[in-house]
Amino acid sequence: MIAEHFKAHEAVVQASARELARESEAAGKALVAALRAGHKVLTFGNGGSATQASHFAGELIGRFLKTRRPLPALALVSDPGSITCIANDFGYEAVFERQVAALALTGDVAVGLSTSGKSTNVCRALAAARARGAVTVALTGSAGLVGATADHVLRVPSNVTAHIQEVHLMLIHAWCVAIDEAFD
């Protein structure tokens, strides 16, 4: 079973490297440009994608491969008071949208993760970010964003949640490498 999973993972990684290289590089450049200009990164997703969103923000505020100045990033999954308040008062579909509406400014970057591409709360937050003038990045599976759009959509060529999340983490780490190289 392990060998089969690793073999399937390898195939998805190779296909992703071919198919996502250009869009991933463009998204990485947008992240670096925004951070250089003093803007922030907002990240969000559900379940495993929530942990990856939090991980990305942590790498920017903390450190990745080298110690550099902390960079402004917020994981919108990390405040249980805000999440439960918004979910209770406005519905779970609004938990990220309301936070984006309050926090996103022109020039910021909003990174939404949804393996299915159908997470209503992620899609609504990306739309709110675009309306506020933020650059939007979506990490999805092969379906892309369903009923939504983003400036950069990275569709991992798989329908297997585990493989999609594995590649999402690889993309986040690749962006962290580029960000580390751009900052002291």
Side-chain angles (χ1 to χ4, degrees), residues 131-143:
R132 300 211 25 103
V135 175
T136 52
V137 178
L139 296 173
T140 73
S142 61

Side-chain angles (χ1 to χ4, degrees), residues 25-158:
E25 187 171 328
K29 287 179 179 179
L31 285 159
V32 168
L35 291 167
R36 277 188 175 149
H39 299 290
K40 66 186 165 296
V41 176
L42 304 171
T43 63
F44 44 90
N46 299 293
S49 295
T51 62
Q52 290 184 327
S54 182
H55 176 73
F56 189 23
E59 299 289 21
L60 296 178
I61 295 169
R63 66 182 299 273
F64 184 62
L65 295 176
K66 70 175 191 177
T67 300
R68 45 133 176 85
R69 68 179 173 96
L71 299 169
L74 294 168
L76 303 184
V77 303
S78 300
D79 182 356
S82 292
I83 290 172
T84 56
C85 171
I86 296 166
N88 185 63
D89 293 349
F90 300 96
Y92 192 70
E93 295 83 8
V95 295
F96 304 133
E97 177 186 37
R98 296 280 300 181
Q99 293 180 79
V100 165
L103 300 170
L105 301 172
T106 298
D108 289 344
V109 179
V111 180
L113 294 86
S114 173
T115 58
S116 70
K118 297 187 274 188
S119 301
T120 303
N121 57 2
V122 171
C123 292
R124 284 176 55 172
L126 288 167
R130 289 187 81 178
R132 300 211 25 103
V135 175
T136 52
V137 178
L139 296 173
T140 73
S142 61
L145 281 176
V146 179
T149 189
D151 298 308
H152 304 282
V153 179
L154 289 99
R155 298 171 178 86
V156 175
S158 178

Side-chain angles (χ1 to χ4, degrees), residues 5-31:
H5 178 81
F6 278 44
K7 185 176 180 179
H9 164 84
E10 184 179 350
V12 172
V13 169
Q14 289 177 356
S16 296
R18 285 189 309 273
E19 296 176 26
L20 303 178
R22 184 178 304 144
E23 196 64 43
S24 177
E25 187 171 328
K29 287 179 179 179
L31 285 159

